[in-house]
Amino acid sequence: MLALAPMTLDPHREYCRRQHRLLAHHLSIEAWCAGDDCILLERGHLQEFLKLERFKSSRVQWLLEDIRPWFKHTEPVYAGPEGDLASLEALYLSRVPIARKFLIRPDPLNAEELISWLRGNGLRISLLHDISAVIPPSEEQIVTRLALLASGLAEP
């Protein structure tokens, strides 16, 4: 029986998928090297890496879908009403489940205070700028680092 070739996806969607996967792979290595299960990725860092000024809900949905193989428990943090993907403030990227109590931000904590509070409650989490030397890393920097790691020419 003849197998049908999968439909070609929209080139923009494929570009975004590759960009999201590259970021997820990089972040998973950063978290692993730091001994963390979770990263709190702030909107500004995400905007810089993706080179976006604002997020459309479809792009956020794609991002959440594309990074799931690396971070099974991804939780968005909204500045506006929950579920308004365009008001994305940050993302919890985690390889382990996060208790709901940790997803409610106690006011008036800034990001560093929030991380300190979460760590004090047993969650192994960091802000990206605490565990990564280059923020935001460019795609070229990530690909170079991953190639060096994969070839054994660099250490994590």
Side-chain angles (χ1 to χ4, degrees), residues 7-45:
M7 289 183 51
T8 304
L9 294 177
D10 171 37
H12 176 67
R13 173 64 180 110
E14 282 303 304
Y15 169 78
C16 294
R17 183 186 327 272
R18 184 193 54 75
Q19 194 178 40
H20 298 158
R21 288 177 173 179
L22 188 61
L23 179 63
H25 195 83
H26 169 70
L27 294 175
S28 67
I29 291 172
E30 294 291 347
W32 169 60
C33 288
D36 289 331
D37 294 321
C38 186
I39 293 177
L40 181 63
L41 183 59
E42 297 174 286
R43 179 185 181 103
H45 293 144

Side-chain angles (χ1 to χ4, degrees), residues 55-66:
F55 291 98
K56 292 184 178 180
S57 59
S58 60
R59 183 67 185 263
V60 174
Q61 200 59 46
W62 289 350
L63 175 66
L64 297 175
E65 186 180 300
D66 295 341

